[in-house]
Amino acid sequence: MKISMFHLMPHRELPDDFEERYHSVWVDPPFHELATPERVGDYYNWTLDELMHAADLGFDGICVNEHHQNAYGFMPGPNVMGGALARATRGQDVALVQMGATLPTTNPPIRIAEEYAMLDCISGGRLVAGMPLGTAMDANMGYGITPIEQRERYYEAHDLILKAWQSRKPFPYNGKYTQLPMVNLWPRPVQQPHPPVWVPGMGSLSTWEFAADQGHCYCFLSYFGHARGKAVMDSFWEFMDSKEKELNPYRAGFLQLVAVSETDAQAEKDYEKHIKYFFEKCLHIAPEFTPPGHQDYRSLENNLRRMLSQQMSEQQRLSDWSFKDYVDNQYVISGGPASVRDQLEELIKSLRVGNLMLLLQIGSMPHELAMKNIELMATEVIPHIRHHWTDEWENKWWPESLRGGRQMNAEAGVAAVAGGS
């Protein structure tokens, strides 16, 4: 297994009545009513400290992503965060999982090729290059990309980035959306022919097909747990089999919310209000901000048929849920170390995933509690689950220099906390 800490960088102190008073957490929440730049600076620095804590403790990767105009996870420049992390982890065998810079909203797309190459150089070849399509809220509502163009822009940007990384001579580029008289990338990535590419998605058939055809890792990003994820991932593996692709677990990644404490009872005391905050406030998204055309017809039909109506009806019930409901419905894996280990074992086997991304700072979770969650995960859980798939499959979707096992380094992590990291 390769296990990364995933971070959204959310607003941790939204008002108690946020979802009643405000239209949406995404696109139109008023910054000056809800936040100050000074407090946001605290959030960013806590985020960097939490990711560094995971790196120091021996997680395989540290993972950031890109979103805009929201209080759910406002990291509009993931490569700014990645630059800080690349320098701070110099000499460590931890991957920088940039999940990542959104292709259709970056103009010209070679900006991503340049910045990712910088990160690969600074880190000494430790970059995982996430290439997300982007949400409708970000790309269509925030950045003005015409929905029907979004996926086509994505494909063109992807092809240009890979060509820019691999071409040994300057070349002109005359695409439908990007025209460049001379592409001559400086610098180039350390990893050749290019860093491993991960494609995040939420169950779109088109994304599965694209990942299969391009040989990329597909990462299912959902906040509704591995019970729901199993239906999607079973279909994904059936699709890969139909395409005659090797059913290598490292071809897939999965995002899971995890909250571990000393005991099951203590986990409920520690995390219940932060989990409810996440689902009730951070996912308070106006439905009209997903305009028609964001998905192609095949993907839209598949999602509606399989899960969307069920998911929407469940979201309407979340305000009545207790901690036990979230855990029993597997939206969140939580409890004492033994309970969390058992639940993650089931997830890994049932979903057949080799790359696990764990969201360990959830909603309003304060910095000290997030650090505790990370530390218990590193010391009490990960050593018991990371052996999966290691002897059976090669991870072709991880930086080559890091494909061996990582040793957990609990003493270094504890010392970092004591020193005020």
Side-chain angles (χ1 to χ4, degrees), residues 165-215:
W165 278 339
Q166 296 176 81
S167 177
R168 302 189 68 84
K169 295 181 179 179
F171 62 90
Y173 187 81
N174 188 31
K176 180 176 180 179
Y177 299 104
T178 302
Q179 298 82 39
L180 299 169
M182 188 66 65
V183 178
N184 181 28
L185 211 65
W186 279 71
R188 303 296 178 94
V190 172
Q191 297 178 81
Q192 294 295 318
H194 56 76
V197 175
W198 287 14
V199 179
M202 297 184 69
S204 164
L205 284 170
S206 297
T207 304
W208 295 351
E209 187 165 50
F210 176 76
D213 291 345
Q214 296 293 330

Side-chain angles (χ1 to χ4, degrees), residues 349-381:
K349 294 174 182 176
S350 63
L351 271 59
R352 193 183 176 84
V353 291
N355 299 298
L356 195 58
M357 293 163 284
L358 304 180
L359 188 65
L360 299 174
Q361 190 287 320
I362 301 169
S364 56
M365 192 183 293
H367 178 57
E368 295 77 13
L369 187 55
M371 297 289 267
K372 170 184 169 178
N373 195 22
I374 294 162
E375 189 168 316
L376 285 172
M377 188 71 207
T379 58
E380 302 295 332
V381 178

